[in-house]
Amino acid sequence: MKHTEISTLGKVAFVEQLTQPFATSSNTHIRQGIGDDGAVIDRGGWYEVISEATMLEGIDFDLTYTPLEHLGYKLVVAAVSNICAMNARAEYLTVSIGLSAKFSVEDATALYDGIKRATDEYKLDLVGGNTSASLTGLNLMATVIGSTSDEELTLRSGAKNTDLLCVTGDLGAAYMGLQLLEREKRVLAGNNVSRPEIGKDQVYILQRQLKPEARVDILQQLREEKIKPTAMIDVTRGLASAALHLCRRSDVGVRIYLNRIPIASDTFKMAEEMHIDPVVAALNGGDDFELLFAAPLDKHQELLAMPGVDVIGHIVPAAEGAALVTPDGGEIRIQAPDWTARVEEKGEK
């Protein structure tokens, strides 16, 4: 039997290969299946939107520096953010956990305290889930079910040439928060007495990593301004990956202006201290849970005036590809870690 390393495909191509047999269905109630931030089921007059988030110990989080209450909160936020990217309202939640013997009742309670805080914040009802034993530490999965109307539903696939490209909040802070936590873990390895000293200018990036928020506030602003995004995706693996996904699904290209990418001053400061390019952190970092969306050009003034939203570029024809525009007018092809293997396989270097 042939043995192909997953890394030779890259995540995007690997997932596409696995899910390709399921892409076509005769079920007329499926409005959107695999390939977006969530599945969309037509319930006749309204749409049910379903999405999930999975987090594995040692892969997605490190309990050395991640409080269990924060982890429970972040798990829910990750799933709610997917619902937001569909321009939908999250309503119901299920949580499944796998626990190894090292966890106590108190540990599990702390985890669920965080989940409860998130359900209160986002007005969700916990309606089910599952609990099982695990041999590999802590494994978590949250499924969120929401709803939206035909007028509000937004997929990744609707971006049009000349649309504006916008992003919420700022990018790269969560990644720099992770780098700070990893650095302190290394410094204090084997030291059970000392605690890391966190400066005031580091609180923001740590919060972005440990207790992020889903951008339901931006969706409300867009509705108030009567702006319907033509395409949208949440930014969880960096701006570059999100932009490529949006381009792929919409069959368009994009131009993103480097000097318009929003990066917080605290992110810049930590990046400088750790000799990391803050733009690389924004492009390829993770866990920002912001929204990247395309919007009609005639909404330019409204979007420029909207708090928490930056216009960072525009949509172009697919033949022009996806590129970053430097301050001097030069262009750099957009690349992302989970796309690299597939792109190089095509010979596009």
Side-chain angles (χ1 to χ4, degrees):
M1 180 177 179
K2 183 179 179 182
H3 179 82
T4 304
E5 295 287 342
I6 295 174
S7 60
T8 63
L9 295 179
K11 180 186 174 182
V12 173
F14 175 59
V15 172
E16 287 180 350
Q17 180 169 312
L18 293 181
T19 59
Q20 191 277 331
F22 303 92
T24 302
S25 173
S26 58
N27 189 334
T28 57
H29 294 292
I30 299 177
R31 174 67 174 80
Q32 173 63 51
I34 295 167
D36 216 298
D37 284 280
V40 182
I41 311 299
D42 188 345
R43 295 305 187 190
W46 62 281
Y47 289 119
E48 183 176 67
V49 183
I50 307 165
S51 191
E52 67 179 35
T54 302
M55 293 186 176
L56 307 177
E57 184 178 355
I59 303 295
D60 301 296
F61 59 89
D62 186 332
L63 290 176
T64 303
Y65 49 69
T66 306
L68 285 165
E69 187 172 344
H70 285 65
L71 181 61
Y73 192 94
K74 185 174 181 177
L75 173 69
V76 178
V77 166
V80 171
S81 183
N82 288 332
I83 299 294
C84 288
M86 310 294 290
N87 206 9
R89 298 169 179 82
E91 297 169 318
Y92 307 106
L93 169 72
T94 68
V95 175
S96 295
I97 65 173
L99 291 162
S100 68
K102 71 178 182 180
F103 293 96
S104 65
V105 172
E106 290 75 15
D107 291 331
T109 300
L111 178 72
Y112 270 79
D113 283 345
I115 292 171
K116 178 62 167 62
R117 283 178 179 270
T119 60
D120 291 344
E121 176 67 26
Y122 296 104
K123 298 178 175 56
L124 301 172
D125 289 315
L126 179 65
V127 296
N130 188 39
T131 304
S132 63
S134 168
L135 295 176
T136 57
L138 182 59
N139 302 318
L140 306 171
M141 184 176 76
T143 300
V144 172
I145 301 170
S147 65
T148 191
S149 65
D150 183 56
E151 292 76 21
E152 292 182 340
L153 176 66
T154 304
L155 306 177
R156 296 177 181 178
S157 54
K160 305 283 193 304
N161 183 32
T162 75
D163 278 352
L164 300 171
L165 187 70
C166 307
V167 71
T168 65
D170 58 81
L171 304 175
Y175 178 77
M176 292 315 306
L178 178 61
Q179 299 313 303
L180 173 60
L181 290 167
E182 286 288 342
R183 184 185 72 180
E184 295 305 307
K185 176 184 175 180
R186 292 191 297 271
V187 169
L188 297 176
N191 184 341
N192 296 321
V193 179
S194 302
R195 297 175 63 87
E197 295 184 6
I198 304 300
K200 291 182 179 180
D201 54 356
Q202 297 171 339
V203 172
Y204 178 69
I205 62 174
L206 289 178
Q207 180 178 338
R208 293 280 289 177
Q209 171 58 220
L210 297 174
K211 190 178 176 292
E213 301 291 350
R215 300 313 305 261
V216 295
D217 58 324
I218 297 296
L219 297 189
Q220 182 59 36
Q221 288 184 50
L222 290 170
R223 292 185 185 110
E224 290 173 358
E225 292 293 334
K226 295 181 172 52
I227 298 175
K228 163 72 182 301
T230 55
M232 187 153 54
I233 182 173
D234 75 332
V235 184
T236 55
R237 297 182 181 276
L239 175 61
S241 179
L244 290 174
H245 275 292
L246 191 147
C247 288
R248 173 75 175 263
R249 293 294 297 175
S250 291
D251 191 26
V252 295
V254 71
R255 291 296 179 272
I256 296 175
Y257 294 89
L258 277 174
N259 59 358
R260 294 185 186 176
I261 297 174
I263 301 174
S265 59
D266 289 346
T267 302
F268 268 107
K269 186 170 183 178
M270 181 53 58
E272 182 179 38
E273 181 179 327
M274 301 187 74
H275 306 291
I276 296 173
D277 186 339
V279 174
V280 172
L283 290 171
N284 294 323
D287 288 352
D288 285 313
F289 298 107
E290 297 293 348
L291 298 173
L292 180 71
F293 64 92
L297 181 60
D298 62 7
K299 297 296 183 179
H300 192 202
Q301 292 304 315
E302 292 91 332
L303 288 164
L304 286 178
M306 188 176 293
V309 173
D310 280 280
V311 178
I312 61 172
H314 61 276
I315 303 299
V316 298
E320 296 183 25
L324 301 168
V325 181
T326 62
D328 62 2
E331 294 190 352
I332 304 169
R333 185 170 64 90
I334 294 177
Q335 299 183 73
D338 53 348
W339 286 79
T340 301
R342 187 181 64 82
V343 170
E344 290 182 350
E345 181 180 295
K346 287 185 173 182
E348 300 173 7
K349 299 187 177 179

